[in-house]
Amino acid sequence: GGAAGADGSVRKPSSGVGAFVSGSSVRIPSGHLKEFVVIAGGGNAAHVLVAELAKEGHDVRLYAPFADEAEKFKAGLASNGGAVDCTMRGKVVSRGAPSVVSKDPAEAAKGATLVLLPVPSFAHESLVKALAPHVADGAAFVALPGQGGFDYRAREWLGGAAACRKRKLVFGATSQLPYQCRFTEYGAKVDLLGHKTTIGCGAWPPEEIEPLATLLTNLIIRCRVEPLPHMCTVTLMPANQVIHTSIMHGLFKEWRAGESAPYDAAPLFYQGCTDEMAATMDGMSDDIGAVCKAIESQCSATLNGAKLAVPRIDAMMRMFYGDEIVDPSCTRTIFATNKGYEGLTAPM
């Protein structure tokens, strides 16, 4: 499920429950129930989320507090008829407008039921602290992606677990960002280069994971969001912290500050994966697997006997990308033949 066709068509959201899951604070949207979503930050993925979620009729508000992001986003919207166009394979597949673009957290988030954080982890603290006083009780904060113990840190930022439970706040984290995308005109146009077919999600409190995963699957219509057994599964997933460091080391390990650029043009990043880079990823992934086994053995009571179920990197990539991978036989070819990575170059 969740894959887009060559024409950009997508899986339709399920039309199921549409109210509250019994005992849960997370609402499940259906065809007649729309969400009030705050998207925090104005980066590449924020552009896709604005276009996709607003097209589906959700009340989307962009909180952009960094520098002049809000002003630049508003200017981009004005230049494009008041909306963001999301293009995939040369075709506009979604177009939508935020109802609010603001650097004022009260204006952006008053009464919000869901906050999506498609930003680097260093930005999480300032965004969560600014928005939390204004969201509705029972709101969910979801980091896209959420490695680094997002739930532990968020509870600490907001006064501890008891204070968060009193407000019935939910903290979620996905294993990966759903999209590969680049905005081409800030606040106006974004190119959706590819997307995962499936990603995982963890939640705190843990009893919220099923309803939260369903909510996110219905919102992020190009990608199925599967519940993971524990938030530690997200933190230990061999995702960007393994992939990016391995590739960057392989590309630039011989370069020294002050030297001329090591390449005449930026090389392919993911599709330029070499045997050496893949071996580094595999080794780091195997180390994570050993850590998982130790945690499962020594912390069985804390995990309620659950397995963390962290996949090896090659299995994870096959799950995330499915048919986007032409040759899934090994880690190197998984990256080198992944259509979702086509044309993406190194940051130099």
Side-chain angles (χ1 to χ4, degrees), residues 98-120:
S99 62
V100 172
V101 177
S102 180
K103 59 173 55 181
D104 178 356
E107 181 182 15
K110 186 175 177 59
T113 54
L114 177 65
V115 177
L116 300 179
L117 299 142
V119 295

Side-chain angles (χ1 to χ4, degrees), residues 2-11 88-89 192 195 197 222 324:
D7 62 352
S9 60
V10 298
R11 171 190 56 76
M88 188 175 185
R89 302 184 180 116
L192 180 57
H195 59 85
T197 57
R222 299 181 187 277
E324 291 285 289

